[in-house]
């Protein structure tokens, strides 16, 4: 099918979109032989603890997933058992030819009770980091990726005024223990994603929020707490001041403990584009991202960009398009998505323009059961990224989401983002053909 041509460079460049993609660039950067990425570019893959480790039993989400009224389609359970099988994951990274790996350390393991830190769990992550270093792979460590300790949720999560200090205390301990081996640190993953989506589509979440409020209330009852607040608690507006302060304080804590580690926040940036003349897309971007762009500029060595979507915003009077379901489980949404590999380029340029900081693509990928789409998508999206670099945006690297098919939160294991599949009976990993396409680009540092 025309939409899935062979994915070698020549074909990609000869494809219908190539001229438009490269229009206006200097010849040296558009010539097939010269579409290089900067020296030292990080090529990697991303994951997160709760989504792959398995048995994150002390986390707030473990409880939420296991309540009878849970909105989760299934439980994380053993997930990909990466907790025990990280050597297999490192072998995959090596086999693909990658030099960076983003994963999260799980707060609920490291600080199982308030103020009680587990040296054994810190040591566990030390071994993971050492194994990556040994394999020549840069560890990119996220300190908070959606899941929190259960006790933290019981204390009101990010609505608790003390939450920034609680988070900074954990970051200080973890950075002091692990800092030597960390190559890059990410403070909080996508602290604004709920805010962004509610800014764009306030009504979209109404029904979902009502259901969620009931599950949170049940969790509070079961734990005997006043309120049980997780990252997907509906009151994201109320949580935002604490999240911003937590980012600032954790940035300071990590830098104090490990001054050599470049540190930043990672943001979920939907590419709001003009749908037609008079489109208020700039105002929407400002409303959705303004506060976090300022936070990233004030506290950070880089800004992490995570883009999965592009939404054209129509001019005044016209209704906003519906929000694509999250993630792209509907075939029609996949169709939309696949037309939009320019979204990442646009958001990388936007993040740099807003913050003046180097940009790290800490996530980007495609949810699809059809790996030919992923194999098509990767060179397309990287061609866009290459354009941003050619225009002068300092880009540290690209980390594909995800290394493995994993636990996609409320959607369970159905959505497939991985460069490798996982058999959930044997936990055997199998690389998909798209991994070879990505690996060829990574190894040659060129398209
Ligand atoms: C999140 C990941 C998630 C991915 C794909 C990102 O927003 O950081 O945890 O799995 O999107 O849905």
């Amino acid at each position: 099918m025309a939409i899935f041509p062979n994915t070698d460079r020549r074909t990609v460049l000869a494809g219908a979109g190539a001229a438009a993609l490269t229009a206006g660039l200097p010849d040296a950067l558009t010539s097939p032989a010269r579409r290089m990425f900067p020296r030292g570019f990080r090529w990697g893959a991303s994951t997160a603890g709760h989504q792959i480790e398995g048995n994150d039993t002390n986390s707030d989400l473990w409880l939420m997933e296991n309540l009878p009224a849970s909105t989760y389609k299934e439980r994380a359970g053993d997930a990909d058992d990466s907790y025990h099988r990280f050597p297999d994951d490192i072998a995959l990274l090596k086999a693909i030819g990658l030099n960076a790996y983003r994963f999260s350390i799980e707060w609920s393991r490291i600080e199982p009770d308030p103020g009680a830190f587990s040296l054994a769990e810190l040591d566990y992550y030390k071994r993971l980091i050492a194994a990556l270093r040994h394999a020549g792979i840069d560890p990119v460590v996220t300190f908070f990726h959606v899941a929190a300790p259960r006790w933290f949720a019981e204390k009101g999560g990010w609505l608790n005024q003390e939450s920034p200090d609680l988070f900074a205390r954990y970051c200080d301990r973890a950075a002091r223990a692990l800092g030597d081996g960390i190559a890059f640190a990410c403070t909080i993953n996508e602290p604004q994603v709920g805010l962004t989506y509610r800014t764009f589509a306030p009504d979209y979440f109404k029904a979902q929020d009502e259901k969620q409020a009931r599950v949170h209330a049940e969790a509070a009852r079961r734990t005997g707490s006043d309120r049980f607040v997780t990252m997907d608690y509906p009151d994201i507006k109320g949580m935002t001041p604490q999240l911003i302060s937590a980012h600032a304080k954790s940035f300071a804590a990590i830098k104090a403990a490990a001054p050599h580690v470049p540190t930043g926040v990672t943001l979920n940036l939907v590419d709001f584009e003009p749908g037609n003349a008079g489109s208020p897309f700039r105002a929407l971007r400002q409303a959705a991202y303004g506060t976090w762009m300022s936070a990233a500029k004030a506290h950070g060595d880089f800004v992490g960009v995570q883009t999965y979507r592009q939404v054209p915003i129509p001019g005044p009077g016209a209704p906003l398009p519906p929000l694509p379901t999250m993630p792209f489980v509907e075939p029609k949404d996949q169709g939309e998505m696949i037309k939009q590999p320019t979204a990442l380029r646009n958001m990388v340029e936007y993040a740099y323009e807003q913050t003046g900081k180097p940009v790290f693509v800490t996530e980007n990928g495609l949810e699809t059961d059809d790996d030919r789409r992923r194999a098509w998508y990767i060179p397309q999206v990287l061609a866009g990224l290459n354009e941003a670099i050619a225009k002068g945006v300092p880009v540290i690297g690209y980390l594909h989401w995800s290394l493995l098919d994993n636990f996609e939160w409320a959607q369970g294991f159905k959505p497939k983002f991985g460069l490798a599949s996982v058999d959930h009976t044997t936990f055997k990993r199998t690389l998909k053909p798209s991994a070879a396409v990505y690996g060829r680009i990574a190894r040659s540092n060129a398209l």
Side-chain angles (χ1 to χ4, degrees):
M1 249 171 75
I3 187 172
F4 303 129
N6 293 332
T7 46
D8 63 280
R9 189 191 60 208
R10 214 183 276 264
T11 315
V12 167
L13 286 170
L21 277 176
T22 54
L25 287 180
D27 280 351
L29 287 154
T30 57
S31 116
R34 299 292 303 276
R35 302 180 82 200
M36 301 295 297
F37 284 81
R39 198 190 297 266
F41 196 76
R42 284 355 184 259
W43 293 103
S46 264
T47 60
H50 192 81
Q51 296 179 270
I52 61 163
E53 282 182 353
N55 298 300
D56 190 14
T57 55
N58 195 37
S59 66
D60 54 354
L61 297 186
W62 186 269
L63 177 66
M64 296 290 282
E65 291 158 23
N66 284 284
L67 289 174
S70 172
T71 53
Y72 282 71
K73 290 217 166 81
E74 50 190 324
R75 320 155 54 234
D78 286 328
D80 293 340
D81 195 27
S82 286
Y83 187 79
H84 298 108
R85 291 167 202 264
F86 71 74
D88 297 359
D89 297 342
I90 296 176
L92 291 177
L93 294 160
K94 282 291 280 181
I96 302 172
L98 302 178
N99 61 23
Y101 179 49
R102 174 171 176 250
F103 61 96
S104 71
I105 53 175
E106 283 306 297
W107 186 4
S108 68
R109 295 188 196 273
I110 293 174
E111 192 180 358
D113 284 314
F117 290 88
S118 164
L119 295 181
E121 294 291 353
L122 284 169
D123 209 52
Y124 165 80
Y125 287 115
K126 220 182 260 180
R127 289 197 296 278
L128 165 55
I129 288 169
L132 285 164
R133 287 291 191 186
H134 185 72
I137 295 167
D138 276 353
V140 181
V141 176
T142 309
F143 281 63
F144 182 88
H145 197 118
V146 187
R150 197 169 124 166
W151 61 259
F152 182 76
E154 287 176 27
K155 282 176 181 286
W158 297 109
L159 285 177
N160 178 356
Q161 297 301 309
E162 287 171 10
S163 56
D165 290 322
L166 292 172
F167 182 60
R169 180 177 66 178
Y170 146 71
C171 289
D172 163 65
R173 283 300 283 263
R176 276 194 284 130
L178 308 173
D180 280 355
I182 298 178
F184 295 88
C186 309
T187 57
I188 304 176
N189 182 68
E190 299 186 352
Q192 43 58 253
V193 65
L195 194 69
T196 295
Y197 280 98
R198 281 175 180 78
T199 305
F200 166 66
D203 294 338
Y204 182 82
F205 286 93
K206 257 198 177 138
Q208 196 175 313
D209 282 356
E210 277 163 21
K211 269 195 215 150
Q212 278 289 69
R214 282 200 291 277
V215 190
H216 281 97
E218 191 184 334
R221 253 193 321 277
R222 294 223 175 188
T223 55
S225 46
D226 293 343
R227 51 188 180 179
F228 192 88
V229 179
T230 66
M231 201 55 190
D232 51 9
Y233 194 78
D235 186 11
I236 182 67
K237 274 208 174 116
M239 296 197 266
T240 295
Q242 288 73 252
L243 283 163
I244 289 181
S245 161
H247 165 60
K249 289 187 174 185
S250 60
F251 174 74
I254 295 167
K255 296 301 288 188
H260 62 285
V261 177
T263 302
V265 66
T266 64
L267 302 177
N268 181 304
L269 302 182
V270 178
D271 181 19
F272 296 121
E273 283 294 305
N276 52 30
S279 163
F281 76 103
R282 279 186 215 286
L284 185 57
R285 283 184 182 180
Q286 178 57 27
Y289 308 130
T291 25
W292 276 99
M293 286 295 159
S294 305
K297 186 174 181 177
H299 312 279
D301 301 313
F302 65 85
V303 55
V305 168
Q306 316 196 149
T307 290
Y308 291 88
R309 295 177 175 76
Q310 185 175 72
V311 181
I313 302 301
L320 285 172
L323 187 73
T325 48
M326 190 176 176
F328 293 92
V329 279
E330 298 298 329
K332 68 174 173 28
D333 295 334
Q334 290 187 346
E336 266 312 296
M337 167 84 189
I338 212 128
K339 286 188 240 144
Q340 316 296 357
T342 53
L344 180 68
R345 176 200 64 194
N346 297 342
M347 287 299 96
V348 160
E349 291 177 6
Y350 172 73
Y352 180 55
E353 171 200 297
Q354 295 291 309
T355 63
K357 303 277 178 183
V359 172
F360 203 164
V361 180
T362 39
E363 281 183 33
N364 171 258
L366 192 62
E367 188 280 306
T368 179
D369 287 337
D370 184 348
D371 189 59
R372 290 173 308 162
R373 289 180 181 236
R374 188 173 293 103
W376 173 87
Y377 175 78
I378 289 172
Q380 294 290 325
V381 82
L382 291 174
L385 186 61
N386 192 269
E387 283 184 37
I389 294 168
K391 284 191 201 154
V393 180
V395 181
I396 297 168
Y398 173 87
L399 308 178
H400 190 80
W401 185 274
S402 179
L403 178 64
L404 305 168
D405 288 340
N406 58 46
F407 179 68
E408 275 293 322
W409 311 116
Q411 303 282 348
F413 292 95
K414 186 170 182 291
K416 306 284 187 236
F417 278 93
L419 295 163
S421 60
V422 180
D423 177 322
H424 283 113
T425 322
T426 60
F427 299 104
K428 186 176 180 301
R429 284 90 163 109
T430 308
L431 284 174
K432 301 177 189 175
S434 59
V437 172
Y438 184 36
R440 270 199 297 280
I441 299 169
R443 285 175 202 272
S444 60
N445 202 35
L447 271 171

